[in-house]
Structures are given as structure tokens and as C-alpha cells.
Amino acid sequence: MKINLISDTVTKPSIDMLNAMMSAEVGDDVFKEDPTVNALEEKVAKLFGMEAALFFPSGTMANQTGIKLHTQPGEQLICHEYAHIFNYEGGGVSFNSGVSCKLLKGSRGMMTAEQVEQAINPPDFYHSPLTSLVCVENTTNKGGGACWDMEELKKIKKVCGDHNLSYHMDGARLWNAMVVKKNLPKEYGELFDTISVCFSKGLGCPVGSALVGSKDSIHKALRIRKVFGGGMRQAGFLAAAAIYALDNNVNRLQEDHIRAKELGECLDSLSYIQKVEPIETNILIFEIDESKMTQSHFTQTLKEKDIHIIGMGQGKLRMVTHYDYTQEMHEIVLNTLKKL
Ligand SMILES: *Cc1c(COP(=O)(O)O)cnc(C)c1O
């Protein structure tokens, strides 16, 4: 049995999800005539208490569209040095928007409002790029699935308001954060100009993300998505999966979080593990004590048992729990780790 802990993107649609997809009513979404895509966009907008939403083929495109919406070439955005938009979107911030990133440090992929305020270039000092956007990521990916504290997000919102900056959230795994923090999408909708969310991770969809924002932003986003090549035709088959996932797969994220914690506790008890980072959601990052076991021996031995995990560089390893990681698999992994 292949056990894939590389990412929560490896899931395949369940039979029930496939049935929902197969029976979707579809049309040409480039003409905005796909009823299922329209229904999904309405549903997501309403969920966040925002005016409008737009369906995207990837979270990367949703983020890149958000960044393009809020910036002009030559300007600068502020984000954490771990940010997905900076590290894992192929340099799209500069390629697509001609924008640079001011990178901030901070524990587990998060920064403070004070840091953000200090990173703003004085708007009248024309020698430096004009700061126009702040991006935060929730949960943090490279930060190990950490969830932002609502109070800090509000403080950053205040800084954005005081300095006339737009505020975007990369909420690829915001569903996970909401399950842990027990807050509502609307609480985030009130703070941000735009939020991107993924359906293709913990929620188990094969494809799909959305960007939520004001009517005006989403109207502009439609053109940007077209320019990026993201206009899709009978996309309702995909949107149906997302609707199914929102109705059925959000609360079960708790199971992924519990299994991640159990994996973390197990690793923590093993002599060859040096450090396990705190686990809040479905991502766990840990380090091997290389004087006891090499990283490659560890990953290779797991691989021989058909358990797949990924290295993150700098001696860090990662496991991500998800919809297709069952209790049966979980027990196999726990037993294997203990016997290694
Ligand atoms: C996965 C992810 C994205 C989007 O990735 P796609 O593969 O393009 O869907 C964006 N931000 C974060 C933090 C992610 O983990």
C-alpha cells in the first residue's frame, strides 16, 4: 500500500465527489455561462461575507492575480521570507506584476504588525519602490502549518489602513486554520481586500482554487485571469467537486490534525529525532539527529516500505496528513517509525 505523506495535494476524488462531478450542469465559463461555477463563486463569496469570488485552476494563479490587482510595476509588497508567493510561485511576483518583495523574518512564517510598519518605504522618498501591498499566509506552509492569531491580523490591517496598503491573504489552507481556531470565514472576509483559498489540498478536490474580494476587484480579476490563460470552459465539473468539498470535507480536517499530532508525538519519542516543530494543523516539520541516523537513510528506509515523505532543505523533513491518509495507513506509519 502506497502511503504518501509528501503533500495534501496528492488526494484523489472520492466516489461521492466523482458522482457530484459527473452530474454537474455545465456551460462555457469564459462566457460566465457555467451554472455550477457561478454557484460555487456565489457560495464562496457568501461564505466569506464578501461581494464576489472567482474560480481558478490553481492557488498560484489566484495569488498572482491578487498581487496583480493590488500593485503596479516597480512597486513593492511586504511578506514573510517563507511566503509561498515568494518561494514557490516560480518568481511570478516579478514576472507577472513587475513587483519586488520586502521579506520579513519571524517565527513559523509569521511576522508582527510592528515589523510590517517598519518595512514600509516612505511614500514620498521616490528613490525606493512604493510599498503597496501586504501578503500573509494562513496556514503557513514552510512555517509548518501554523495559524495566525486574529488579533495580529487585525493589527496588520490597521497598519495597511494607516498607510494606504492593500491586504491579501494566501489562504491555501485557511480551512485548516478555521477548523483549529474555530472562527468563521466572515471574520477573515472583514479584514482582507482579497483572499485566495484552495480546494485541491485538504478538501480533496482534484483541481481548483478561488479568489474572493469586492465586486470591483473580482471584475478586474476576470481580465487578469484571462491574460494569465486561466479562463476555462466547462469548468463546472471541477466546481462541482469544490461545492461537494465545502459541504462535506471541511470539518473532517480535524482528523488530519489529530493524526499529524500523533505522528509528531511518536517522532518526539524517538532517539534519532532531534526536533519536532509545534503541530497545529496537518503539516509537521522535523529534524533527524544525523549523528544517529542520516536523513537519506531515514527517507530511503521509509521509501522501501512505500511510505513517502519530502525534505525541505536545511536538514528539515516534512510530512503532511490528508484525506487519503487513512487510519490503517496511520497505524502502519507509527509502527514503522517505532521500529526504525
Ligand atoms: C499550495 C499552496 C498554494 C497554491 O499552490 P497551487 O499548487 O498553485 O494550487 C499557495 N500558497 C500556499 C501557502 C500553498 O501551500
Side-chain angles (χ1 to χ4, degrees), residues 76-234:
Q76 192 164 71
L77 65 79
I78 297 172
C79 65
H80 193 277
E81 62 177 350
Y82 284 0
H84 193 278
I85 56 164
F86 176 72
N87 290 287
Y88 304 121
E89 298 189 5
V93 174
S94 51
F95 190 98
N96 297 318
S97 296
V99 165
S100 59
C101 298
K102 174 91 106 216
L103 302 177
L104 301 181
K105 294 193 184 299
S107 125
R108 314 200 66 223
M110 297 176 286
M111 61 274 194
T112 65
E114 288 80 60
Q115 279 176 286
V116 170
E117 189 148 41
Q118 281 167 12
I120 300 167
N121 293 327
D124 294 333
F125 187 69
Y126 56 81
H127 306 276
S128 52
L130 185 70
T131 308
S132 49
L133 171 65
V134 177
C135 296
V136 296
E137 188 173 308
N138 199 13
T139 70
T140 63
N141 178 338
K142 202 171 154 73
C147 306
W148 277 82
D149 173 40
M150 197 50 98
E151 287 314 303
E152 202 61 46
L153 292 176
K154 285 182 185 164
K155 283 186 198 162
I156 297 178
K157 162 80 175 170
K158 168 109 187 10
V159 171
C160 291
D162 291 348
H163 297 270
N164 201 21
L165 311 177
S166 298
Y167 196 19
H168 171 78
M169 176 181 271
D170 174 352
R173 294 190 182 80
L174 186 53
W175 315 111
N176 298 79
M178 288 191 288
V179 163
V180 170
K181 294 283 189 186
K182 298 189 166 51
N183 41 32
L184 296 169
K186 284 196 169 80
E187 298 174 51
Y188 296 94
E190 278 170 15
L191 294 181
F192 291 91
D193 295 298
T194 47
I195 300 174
S196 67
V197 290
C198 286
F199 307 114
S200 56
K201 293 187 169 165
L203 298 192
C205 294
V207 176
S209 289
L211 185 72
V212 246
S214 68
K215 223 176 189 160
D216 183 48
S217 299
I218 296 304
H219 184 66
K220 288 182 183 138
L222 193 56
R223 177 181 291 272
I224 298 168
R225 188 186 68 176
K226 179 75 192 178
V227 173
F228 287 171
M232 298 184 285
R233 302 296 178 175
Q234 284 70 37

